Amino acid sequence: MRRKKRPVLIFIPIGIIIGILATTMMLAYLHQPSQTAEPVEPSPPSENDTTMNRLFQVSTKQGRTEWKLEAASAEMDKMNNIGRLKDVSIVFYLKSGSEVSLTADRGIFHTDSKDIEVSGNVVVVNRNYKMVTERLKYRDSRRTLTSSTPLAISDNSSSLMADRMVYDIAKNESVFEGNVMGFFSDKATF
């Protein structure tokens, strides 16, 4: 006697579709802004503040350009020596002649130390890899980029994920920490 296996086989694709829909709905729900959060009104500019529609800043040492920063807008707080930036783009220049580009939704530029903090869709790209994270700090005195939020880095054939990272621009070396996982092929360019 032959049994019909069709009903069981139908449940598998239906289960997969339900799983995909449930995951999509959960991710959409998690990315929605909180309904209970009250919008925060920006404080009115004081007499020490300056607002500008484009900011372009260049950092040079000993006649060599180390980085260039651009922002779509900036609010400069002279009292606290910071600039609040929107739509940030930075190019770091390595001694080897190559470049590392960074983009982010917003940032804070410390005018006294030249340190920069960026957040929101942070993407770092050079000729070999692309890194994505939510927050990144640049420390000018050490020429380091530090991410204390989870990150993913990939090239054409490999990928790596970690909880934290420090990238030494001067040495062109990275250190990854915390739950480091990766997939590497024989074509890796890290």
Side-chain angles (χ1 to χ4, degrees):
M1 181 191 256
R2 267 178 79 179
R3 282 184 162 173
K4 289 188 177 182
K5 294 184 181 181
R6 282 188 170 242
V8 173
L9 294 177
I10 291 174
F11 288 118
I12 293 172
I14 292 173
I16 292 171
I17 291 170
I18 291 172
I20 292 171
L21 288 174
T23 303
T24 304
M25 290 173 43
M26 182 179 73
L27 289 173
Y29 175 77
L30 290 175
H31 287 296
Q32 287 181 350
S34 172
Q35 301 295 329
T36 59
E38 293 182 25
V40 177
E41 293 293 322
S43 58
S46 71
E47 59 189 44
N48 292 325
D49 292 345
T50 304
T51 302
M52 57 187 81
N53 284 332
R54 296 291 288 155
L55 173 73
F56 185 75
Q57 177 77 31
V58 178
S59 175
T60 58
K61 285 186 183 170
Q62 299 173 347
R64 192 177 145 275
T65 301
E66 292 199 323
W67 53 263
K68 291 181 183 177
L69 177 145
E70 288 187 63
S73 65
E75 292 178 11
M76 304 305 290
D77 181 345
K78 295 176 188 174
M79 205 166 182
N80 294 311
N81 295 321
I82 61 170
R84 291 177 190 86
L85 313 173
K86 290 187 180 174
D87 295 327
V88 182
S89 174
I90 308 170
V91 177
F92 297 97
Y93 298 95
L94 282 65
K95 287 184 180 177
S96 66
S98 59
E99 301 175 0
V100 175
S101 300
L102 179 151
T103 57
D105 292 341
R106 58 198 162 277
I108 295 178
F109 175 58
H110 299 269
T111 58
D112 52 351
S113 66
K114 294 187 189 176
D115 292 349
I116 306 166
E117 301 171 40
V118 293
S119 60
N121 299 312
V122 179
V123 178
V124 180
V125 178
N126 80 359
R127 65 180 176 192
N128 295 324
Y129 67 84
K130 176 180 179 179
M131 184 184 81
V132 179
T133 188
E134 266 309 299
R135 293 187 175 283
L136 200 64
K137 292 181 182 180
Y138 169 70
R139 191 162 184 187
D140 191 65
S141 63
R142 294 185 179 169
R143 288 205 26 101
T144 57
L145 290 171
T146 304
S147 175
S148 56
T149 58
L151 60 109
I153 185 169
S154 62
D155 67 4
N156 291 334
S157 58
S158 304
S159 62
L160 178 101
M161 291 176 283
D163 290 339
R164 296 173 299 284
M165 178 226 48
V166 176
Y167 172 55
D168 188 323
I169 295 172
K171 294 179 182 177
N172 196 23
E173 295 177 352
S174 297
V175 175
F176 301 94
E177 298 176 337
N179 296 314
V180 178
M181 295 184 299
F183 166 77
F184 301 95
S185 76
D186 58 350
K187 298 177 186 176
T189 59
F190 289 111

